[in-house]
Amino acid sequence: NPFIYYNLAVAYQDMGLFEDKSIPLYLKSIEMNPVYDDAHYNLAVSYLKTNNLENAMDEYEKTLEINPQYAKVYVDYGMIKLQEKKFDEAIAFYDKAIEMDPEIVEAYYQKGIVYAFQENFEKALKLNLKALDIDPKHINSQFNIAVVFHKQGKLDRAIAEYDLTLE
């Protein structure tokens, strides 16, 4: 059953066991169900975690061939571009993810990081607040809000926001 292999792979992936555990299990799941978009996507994530960018990109492309509306792929593309400091490209990918799924928290959060790097603090705050509107428990967005206030020198507000991340 490809779903059993998939779920076992996810568990190993969550444990950080990629090369010997999650990757072979995702491959087995895909062998049994070649159009299993979640398996292709998570295989890409496992490859990315092992710094195998070429295989990760291949699996992301396969995910999009199966499901062109798989918004998480565009979030991950944006994260890759952010690491490369290609901010405009990262923003374009986050925008595409949001267009596909307006409730995709990670896209707002990551886009907020880009704007914080660019010191566009107003946009960074707005995006992280949007992420918190969607998911009030998204601690990374709460933390980013604190960081933005800190960078702006609004230390009392930053401390209050840092405290919220500790709750």
Side-chain angles (χ1 to χ4, degrees), residues 1 32 150:
N1 183 326
M32 297 170 83
H150 196 158

Side-chain angles (χ1 to χ4, degrees), residues 1-2 4 9 16 21 31 34 48 62 67 78 89 94 101 113 119 124 126 129 142 146 152 155 158-159 162:
N1 183 326
I4 295 171
K21 297 293 184 177
E31 178 185 314
L48 198 59
K62 288 175 187 172
N67 179 359
E89 291 178 48
Y94 297 138
D101 179 2
I113 290 174
E119 296 187 354
K126 182 179 175 186
L129 288 169
Q142 190 70 56
Q152 290 178 306
L155 299 181
I159 289 168
Y162 284 129

Side-chain angles (χ1 to χ4, degrees), residues 101-105 108 129-138:
D101 179 2
E103 301 295 305
I104 191 159
V105 173
Y108 294 102
L129 288 169
K130 175 65 177 172
L132 285 175
D133 283 344
I134 297 167
D135 179 2
K137 295 184 186 295
H138 195 263

